[in-house]
């Protein structure tokens, strides 16, 4: 019956198209649909577990002291993470000051001037590769160029390391925001006799400002959670410090150190710190998601 | 110079001639500034490799390539090798891929097909993306105090009934390559899911129609046409995930046990390059820092290879499609 | 057979459309179509853009199921069986009622894999090589590709790709082949080849073809259905069947003025 010059002759019964759920093909499809659905459920589980566990462990420990006091000496209870919270903000401030101008203006070149050029291709390529480079490498880099030259661990060195983490994120997401600015807007500005600088600074950047702000905020949130680049740049500090050129405590490094020492009060502080860090990051991610979604429609 | 005989320029021509005034220089300056900043990112990438390489020179000259094959890490004698760390990095990354690739690909398919309405799939997709936003130090903390106690009975069970397989041949400890691999799997899952999903969604609709019109079921269409067509995008996402798993530091330092040994059993503690650097750098002396930088250079090169390959594969896919 | 009514006994009805309307969500795209499609004939659907002829075609093998919110009211039967009955498996429908698309859409696989794709998913038990050769011969492509069966289907020219897609449809052993403007992306020579092919295929298959090209309709089809679109009160356009008859009648002696205007080019 392999002669296909004769077409299929349909049988005249009305059953010919009945969907047979037990046929191997349909069973296979049902199985696969169920399996992948199960996978999706499994993937949500750790997120839910982490959020619930961190909240239940950390919430009882949230009080004013957490934000205003120094950590207690090993083994003693009480105290807070006040210096680490301030330290995280300072280090992020340094990283912001370094990475935002470079990232945003670099993105301006990519989207406004270099579009389609060979150089732009390689810059984008480097940005993508750099965003895949392990965060701890950024720490080593900052160690060799800042800590070794200045002879001391410092908040500034931590900021440099985080800037390396932030830079590719800021540049690529800003570029995506700039590309969304309609071409007519640029043409209109050029048509009125504006220079490239005037077009970008007065028209394109303001139009893309919400998406740039989102990009920078997301990059800050991501960097704020990083501990690896800070371990041997900002190091740690058990006391209050706002000096850029001395070691400084940060929330993420503090969580790490408190998680691996065997004292209950410190471990509790680690959970409380984790809750603070996680809440900020999740809130920023969720809010920016809604902002950008509204933007795109 | 023939300036003597040049007739005077008409005012209209003079108007449109380039004038080198402040406005002109501002514009030129702006252009080159932005270009310099764009190039800065490429320079940074190269600079990182060179800087770490240069600082590691003392260790490189002392240990040479033997660094990669030696299992000694002795800060007292100052003799260093990172074979156990290379082994641990690769094994934990492979465990992570074995778990995360089927899971991530399955989810990508589930979310890109209309099995469920979008008001269900969009939140699921977003929740999986959020998983990527959780700081790894928080995941490490959670792993130490929640996940390891939770996994212990499973490990005991696996060891009791599958202990004859060398991979599960030792008494389970909480901190192990297997624990790290499982945690890494969930850390790289969002990456595999989102890139594979984008790849599947961006396939031209005629591929699906063509297969359906030939009487293929939905799943036959997915497995025989869509996945092969999007293969390079999917491979690219797996490579990126591999790079991410190899370089993950905090979760590794907190969960792998930091033991400088190679053991065939996945239930034994191990070490990765990143966890070695994170756990040793703080107390390291001069020579040890050089050795750690050498280890960092090895990690950087591994991650560069993986990431560059991933980029090339993904670019190739995009070029074919556009 | 000029001007003679019913020169031969009416052939068997394969597809029967009874009072069908097609909706996308609440929007009605096609209304109240009633027509029969006969075995071993070529039926052409013609009409201006947006008149719903492609939409109707896609309902014959339930490809419209892939469009969210699409639904059919009325009845479309295949050998008497309601295609939209609850117990009908659309996958089986598409195997029996194949489709060739406007743009050639070979899979990014080898020529060989393209042709035997349908046979593979349908667990065909026979000889694949034989199936391949017969299908490619029927699609008049065998001689051109027999030495490069392992090359990608995308390496062929546009006309060859379209014949490959026809071979691919034939290889699933369908009963009906639907063609949605199969030549609109092709050059005149490739078009001619496809038209010759349609003539050949008619002996074994029932063919329904949507075309923009009226010359093509007169060249290939036995019967022609002319569709038109009209504005509704909501400001949408809804397609409807104006006239359906033997092709010679539609083009030489239509009963409706709109048909006459359209086929003589005095339209719109």
């Amino acid at each position: 019956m392999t002669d296909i010059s004769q077409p299929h002759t349909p049988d005249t019964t009305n059953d010919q198209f009945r969907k047979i759920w037990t046929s191997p093909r349909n069973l296979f499809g049902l199985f696969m649909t169920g399996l992948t659905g199960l996978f999706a459920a499994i993937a949500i589980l750790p997120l839910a577990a982490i959020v619930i566990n961190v909240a239940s462990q950390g919430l009882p420990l949230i009080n004013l002291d957490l934000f205003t006091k120094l950590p207690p000496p090993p083994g003693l209870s009480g105290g807070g993470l006040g210096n680490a919270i301030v330290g995280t903000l300072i280090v992020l401030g340094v990283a912001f000051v370094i990475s935002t101008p470079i990232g945003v203006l670099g993105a301006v070149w990519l989207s406004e001037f270099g579009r389609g050029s060979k150089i732009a291709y390689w810059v984008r390529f480097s940005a993508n590769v750099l965003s895949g480079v392990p965060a701890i490498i950024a720490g080593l880099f900052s160690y060799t160029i800042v800590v070794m030259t200045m002879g001391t661990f410092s908040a500034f060195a931590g900021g440099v390391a985080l800037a390396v983490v932030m830079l590719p994120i800021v540049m690529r997401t800003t570029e995506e925001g700039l590309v969304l600015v309609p071409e007519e807007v640029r043409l209109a500005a050029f048509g009125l006799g504006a220079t490239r600088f005037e077009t970008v600074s007065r028209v394109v950047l303001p139009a893309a400002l919400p998406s740039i702000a989102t990009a920078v905020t997301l990059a800050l949130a991501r960097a704020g959670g990083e501990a690896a680049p800070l371990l041997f740049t900002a190091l740690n500090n058990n006391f209050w410090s706002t000096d850029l050129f001395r070691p400084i405590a940060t929330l993420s490094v503090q969580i790490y150190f408190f998680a691996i020492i065997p004292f209950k009060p410190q471990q509790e502080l680690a959970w409380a710190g984790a809750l603070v860090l996680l809440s900020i990051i999740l809130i920023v991610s969720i809010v920016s998601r809604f902002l950008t979604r509204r933007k795109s429609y | 110079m023939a300036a003597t005989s040049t007739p005077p320029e008409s005012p209209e021509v003079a108007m449109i001639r380039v004038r080198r005034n402040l406005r002109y220089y501002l514009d030129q300056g702006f252009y080159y500034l932005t270009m310099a900043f764009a190039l800065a990112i490429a320079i940074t990438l190269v600079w990182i490799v060179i800087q770490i390489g240069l600082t590691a020179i003392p260790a490189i000259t002392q240990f040479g390539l033997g660094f990669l094959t030696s299992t000694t890490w002795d800060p007292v004698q100052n003799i260093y090798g990172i074979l156990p760390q290379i082994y641990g990095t690769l094994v934990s990354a492979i465990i992570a891929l074995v778990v995360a690739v089927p899971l991530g690909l399955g989810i990508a398919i589930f979310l890109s097909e209309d099995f469920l309405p979008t008001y269900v799939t969009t939140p699921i997709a977003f929740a999986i993306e959020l998983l990527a936003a959780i700081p790894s130090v928080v995941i490490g903390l959670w792993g130490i105090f929640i996940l390891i106690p939770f996994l212990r009975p499973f490990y005991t069970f696996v060891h009791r009934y599958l202990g004859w397989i060398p991979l599960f041949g030792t008494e389970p400890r909480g901190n192990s390559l297997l624990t790290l691999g499982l945690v890494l799997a969930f850390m790289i899952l969002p990456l595999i899911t989102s890139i594979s999903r984008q790849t599947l969604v961006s396939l031209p609709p005629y591929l699906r129609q063509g297969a359906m019109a030939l009487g293929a079921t939905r799943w036959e269409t997915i497995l025989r046409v869509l996945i092969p067509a999007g293969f390079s995008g999917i491979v690219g996402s797996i490579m990126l995930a591999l790079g991410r798993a190899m370089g993950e530091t905090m979760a590794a330092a907190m969960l792998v046990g930091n033991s400088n040994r190679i053991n065939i059993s996945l239930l034994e503690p191990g070490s990765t390059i990143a966890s070695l650097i994170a756990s040793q750098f703080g107390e390291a002396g001069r020579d040890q820092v050089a050795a750690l930088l050498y280890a960092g250079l090895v990690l950087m090169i591994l991650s560069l290879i993986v990431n560059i390959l991933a980029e090339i594969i993904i670019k190739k896919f995009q070029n074919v499609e556009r | 057979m000029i001007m003679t009514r019913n020169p031969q006994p009416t052939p068997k009805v394969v597809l029967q459309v009874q009072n069908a309307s097609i909706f996308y969500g609440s929007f009605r795209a096609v209304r109240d179509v009633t027509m029969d499609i006969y075995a071993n004939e070529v039926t052409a659907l013609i009409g201006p853009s947006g008149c719903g002829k492609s939409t109707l075609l896609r309902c014959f093998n339930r490809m419209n199921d892939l469009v969210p919110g699409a639904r059919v009211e009325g009845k479309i039967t295949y050998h008497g069986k309601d295609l939209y009955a609850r117990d009908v498996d659309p996958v089986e429908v598409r195997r029996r009622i194949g489709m060739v698309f406007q743009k050639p859409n070979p899979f990014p696989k080898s020529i060989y894999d393209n042709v035997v794709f349908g046979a593979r998913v349908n667990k065909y038990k026979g000889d694949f090589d034989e199936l391949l050769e017969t299908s490619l011969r029927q699609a008049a492509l065998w001689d051109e590709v027999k030495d490069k069966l392992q090359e990608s289907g995308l390496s062929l020219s546009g006309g060859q790709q379209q014949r490959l897609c026809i071979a691919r449809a034939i290889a699933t052993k369908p009963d009906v082949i639907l063609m949605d403007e199969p030549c609109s992306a092709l050059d005149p020579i490739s078009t001619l080849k496809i038209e010759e092919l349609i003539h050949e295929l008619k002996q074994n298959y029932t063919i329904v073809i949507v075309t923009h090209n009226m010359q093509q309709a007169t060249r290939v089809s036995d019967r022609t259905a002319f569709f038109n679109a009209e504005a509704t009160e909501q400001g949408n356009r809804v397609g409807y069947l104006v006239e359906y008859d033997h092709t010679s009648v539609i083009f030489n002696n239509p009963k409706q003025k709109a048909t006459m205007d359209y086929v003589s080019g005095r339209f719109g």
Side-chain angles (χ1 to χ4, degrees), chain A residues 29-282:
Chain A
L30 277 178
F31 171 75
M32 290 301 286
T33 308
L35 189 69
T36 52
L38 181 71
F39 283 177
I42 291 175
I44 308 268
L45 241 105
L47 175 75
I50 291 170
V51 170
I52 292 169
N53 287 327
V54 170
S56 67
Q57 300 273 344
L59 265 183
L61 306 155
I62 297 286
N63 53 35
L64 195 62
D65 282 359
L66 182 71
F67 299 94
T68 56
K69 292 247 167 89
L70 287 175
L76 296 185
S77 59
L81 297 167
N83 63 333
I85 292 171
V86 171
T88 292
L89 293 177
I90 290 175
V91 174
L92 281 181
V94 174
F96 170 79
V97 168
I98 299 173
S99 66
T100 305
I102 301 181
V104 170
L105 292 182
V108 164
W109 189 82
L110 284 180
S111 93
E112 307 300 312
F113 308 140
R115 224 183 263 185
S117 73
K118 203 87 197 152
I119 297 177
Y121 173 87
W122 285 110
V123 168
R124 268 187 215 106
F125 189 90
S126 313
N128 290 346
V129 172
L130 189 60
S131 69
V133 165
I136 194 163
I137 299 289
L140 287 181
F141 175 62
S142 173
Y143 178 85
T144 59
I145 62 167
V146 183
V147 177
M148 285 173 75
T149 32
M150 303 207 319
T152 172
F153 299 99
S154 65
F156 178 70
V160 170
L162 290 189
V164 173
V165 174
M166 285 176 68
L167 188 56
I169 309 176
V170 172
M171 198 181 278
R172 288 314 310 270
T173 36
T174 301
E175 192 198 347
E176 281 164 23
L178 290 175
V179 168
L180 288 181
V181 175
E183 196 59 32
E184 297 79 45
V185 175
R186 294 185 184 89
L187 295 178
F190 285 129
L192 293 171
T195 62
R196 293 174 295 189
F197 171 62
E198 288 155 355
T199 306
V200 170
S201 61
R202 305 230 177 129
V203 179
V204 179
L205 281 180
L209 195 61
S211 49
I212 295 173
T214 315
V216 173
T217 315
L218 274 177
L220 281 171
R222 159 92 197 276
E226 288 286 0
L230 300 177
L231 281 175
F232 33 82
T233 52
L235 201 65
N236 201 359
N237 191 332
N238 289 325
F239 304 99
W240 292 100
S241 169
T242 50
D243 190 338
L244 280 185
F245 299 101
R246 288 183 47 203
I248 200 165
T250 53
L251 207 45
S252 51
V253 172
Q254 200 66 270
I255 294 170
Y256 171 60
F257 284 137
F258 282 174
I260 57 174
I261 60 172
F263 299 116
K264 193 88 180 127
Q266 271 73 7
Q267 292 174 359
E268 285 180 346
L269 275 180
W271 281 107
L275 178 59
V276 173
L277 201 56
L278 189 62
S279 321
I280 294 173
I281 287 172
L282 289 188

Side-chain angles (χ1 to χ4, degrees), chain B:
Chain B
M1 286 293 219
T4 44
S5 62
T6 313
E9 212 169 57
S10 74
E12 289 79 8
V13 172
M15 291 281 279
I16 61 167
R17 188 168 287 277
V18 169
R19 266 165 298 174
R20 300 188 181 272
N21 55 13
L22 179 66
R23 200 167 168 232
Y24 171 84
Y25 286 112
L26 203 59
D27 189 50
Q28 288 292 310
F30 181 69
Y31 177 87
Y32 287 110
L33 182 74
T34 57
M35 186 165 167
F37 281 173
L39 287 174
I41 206 161
I43 293 166
T44 306
L45 187 64
V46 180
W47 188 12
I48 291 175
V49 182
I50 294 173
Q51 187 69 32
I52 294 178
L54 284 179
T55 326
I57 279 179
I60 297 172
T61 47
Q62 189 182 347
F63 304 112
L65 286 176
F67 189 67
L68 307 177
T69 54
S70 155
T71 58
T72 317
W73 186 271
D74 186 346
V76 181
Q77 313 259 341
N78 273 323
I79 299 171
Y80 302 106
I82 55 164
L83 187 62
Q85 284 71 31
I86 294 177
Y87 173 80
T89 303
L90 295 179
V91 169
S92 58
I94 289 169
I95 297 171
L97 286 184
V98 166
V99 176
V101 168
L103 219 53
L105 196 51
I107 296 166
I109 294 169
F110 187 74
L111 295 179
S112 61
E113 295 281 319
D114 53 350
F115 292 123
L116 291 175
T118 44
Y119 61 81
V120 181
T121 52
T122 312
I124 294 179
F126 182 51
I128 292 170
E129 276 170 41
L130 276 187
L131 193 56
I134 300 179
S136 59
V137 70
V138 173
I139 293 183
L141 177 75
W142 178 78
I144 292 176
F145 293 106
I146 308 282
L147 184 67
I148 288 179
F150 174 79
L151 285 176
R152 194 161 277 137
F154 295 98
Y155 283 177
T156 312
F157 177 87
V158 166
H159 172 63
R160 184 171 303 148
Y161 293 101
L162 298 171
W164 49 272
I165 304 173
L167 290 179
F168 307 114
T170 58
E171 281 296 320
R173 328 263 185 94
N175 296 57
S176 64
L177 284 176
L178 184 57
T179 306
L180 175 60
L182 292 176
V183 168
L184 288 179
F186 282 98
M187 296 179 77
I188 62 176
L189 188 64
L191 198 66
I192 298 181
T193 305
S194 72
I195 298 183
S196 302
R197 181 174 174 225
Q198 281 168 21
T199 305
L200 290 176
V201 168
S202 69
L203 290 175
Y206 68 73
L207 284 178
R208 171 190 301 272
Q209 292 173 359
M212 296 287 246
L214 291 170
T217 63
R218 183 206 286 269
W219 271 98
E220 286 158 358
T221 307
I222 294 167
L223 295 177
R224 288 171 183 268
V225 176
L226 299 185
I227 299 226
F231 192 67
S232 48
I234 292 164
V235 171
S237 79
I238 294 171
M239 295 290 286
L240 282 182
L242 174 65
R244 196 63 56 86
M246 291 195 316
E248 173 48 44
T249 307
M250 299 319 293
M254 294 164 90
L255 299 173
V256 79
N258 297 313
S259 123
N260 188 42
R261 262 180 304 165
I262 297 181
N263 197 311
I264 189 75
S265 170
L266 304 179
L267 300 173
E268 278 288 303
S271 179
T272 71
I273 302 176
S275 79
L276 175 83
I277 300 171
S279 59
Q280 304 255 334
F281 211 100
E283 296 97 49
R286 218 168 183 291
D287 294 341
Q288 199 182 346
V289 164
L292 288 169
L293 282 163
Y294 190 3
L297 185 67
V298 173
L299 179 62
M300 177 75 187
I301 290 170
L302 278 179
S303 107
L304 278 184
I305 293 172
V306 169
N307 278 293
I308 288 174
L309 276 179
E311 275 304 305
I312 291 172
I313 292 169
I314 292 175
K315 283 266 154 53
K316 198 178 136 219
F317 169 72
Q318 287 169 340
N319 290 345
V320 168
E321 280 312 312
R322 303 277 120 76

Side-chain angles (χ1 to χ4, degrees), chain A residues 4 7 16-19 25, chain C residues 87 89 96 122 173 204:
Chain A
I4 71 140
Q16 51 182 322
F17 288 146
R18 174 159 294 153
K19 182 138 190 170
R25 312 170 67 178
Chain C
D87 64 352
D89 185 350
R96 307 276 175 82
N122 289 302
K173 302 181 159 198
N204 294 326

